[in-house]
Amino acid sequence: MTNQAFTDWKRRGTIPAADIALRIADALNIDLRWLITGKEPVTPPAPGLPPAEVLALANDICRLPAEYRDIILQNVEAFKKLCFRLEKAASQNIG
């Protein structure tokens, strides 16, 4: 799948085929409804509280040795930068 495919879907206001949308949602670990509609899941977590899965993951990460926590945080930061670049590129292709 190419960046051009994403740009084309967004420009046309269409969504990918169901099997592709599901693969994208799985790969990015995002809600399929959000991917298709752009709307948050129907039952969001309580305001100010992360979902139980996030809290459990945070607890697991806190129990790791410091060097492993640092590696995880570096990867999260790299992922955030990648997402920002992709969003910026997508907005430049549309406008």
Side-chain angles (χ1 to χ4, degrees):
M1 186 172 335
T2 65
N3 287 342
Q4 187 63 45
F6 286 103
T7 302
D8 290 344
W9 292 328
K10 192 163 186 174
R11 183 177 38 77
R12 289 190 310 257
T14 61
I15 58 171
D19 61 330
I20 294 173
L22 185 58
R23 287 183 14 217
I24 293 168
D26 285 345
L28 298 176
N29 196 28
I30 58 175
D31 186 84
L32 180 61
R33 288 170 295 180
W34 179 86
L35 178 65
I36 293 171
T37 66
K39 296 178 183 175
E40 292 296 326
V42 176
T43 54
L49 294 177
E53 296 88 358
V54 173
L55 290 173
L57 179 60
N59 285 330
D60 290 343
I61 291 171
C62 287
R63 287 194 294 267
L64 292 172
E67 62 269 17
Y68 295 132
R69 287 193 310 264
D70 290 343
I71 292 168
I72 290 170
L73 291 175
Q74 290 168 4
N75 284 313
V76 168
E77 287 302 316
F79 181 71
K80 284 171 39 179
K81 289 176 184 176
L82 173 63
C83 289
F84 176 75
R85 285 196 312 267
L86 291 174
E87 288 173 359
K88 186 176 178 181
S91 68
Q92 290 173 346
N93 287 335
I94 294 170

